[in-house]
Amino acid sequence: MLTATDVTAAGASSRAAARAPQDILRDQLMTELQDKNPGVVLTHLQEAVNGHPSLATHCTSIARALGRAAVRIYGATRAQSYARPVCDTAFASGVMAAHS
């Protein structure tokens, strides 16, 4: 799994280097959601937050965005089946918001 730090350290473009780590992480996870199930993506989010505690303040908004995207990809029922307590159940909140 790549983290926001890995992207900037790997010589990302100056545009990407100027972006905030949480924005880079969110975009990476959204891209990953296209190929992997939300459970895997949520695990990577939790690992990123555990490895970089400064991302914790952004965890909820990222998880909600992932929940909304998961509804678009998997439908509400299937997306909800992947919900678990990552970032105070924000993923589940995102699923419910997108389903409403």
Side-chain angles (χ1 to χ4, degrees):
M1 177 194 76
L2 291 175
T3 64
T5 305
D6 294 333
V7 171
T8 55
S13 71
S14 60
R15 184 178 81 88
R19 295 176 59 219
Q22 67 272 10
D23 295 335
I24 295 169
L25 177 61
R26 184 192 61 244
D27 291 350
Q28 286 176 339
L29 294 172
M30 288 293 207
T31 299
E32 186 176 15
L33 188 61
Q34 303 300 316
D35 299 322
K36 297 186 175 142
N37 74 58
V40 171
V41 177
L42 287 172
T43 296
H44 291 165
L45 172 59
Q46 190 65 58
E47 289 170 348
V49 170
N50 290 346
H52 303 281
S54 62
L55 292 170
T57 58
H58 306 284
C59 189
T60 300
S61 65
I62 294 170
R64 277 193 194 123
L66 291 169
R68 289 189 300 268
V71 169
R72 288 191 300 273
I73 296 167
Y74 295 98
T77 302
R78 187 165 174 211
Q80 184 63 36
S81 73
Y82 291 102
R84 59 178 194 230
V86 174
C87 308
D88 297 326
T89 66
F91 177 84
S93 297
V95 169
M96 293 308 295
H99 183 61
S100 302

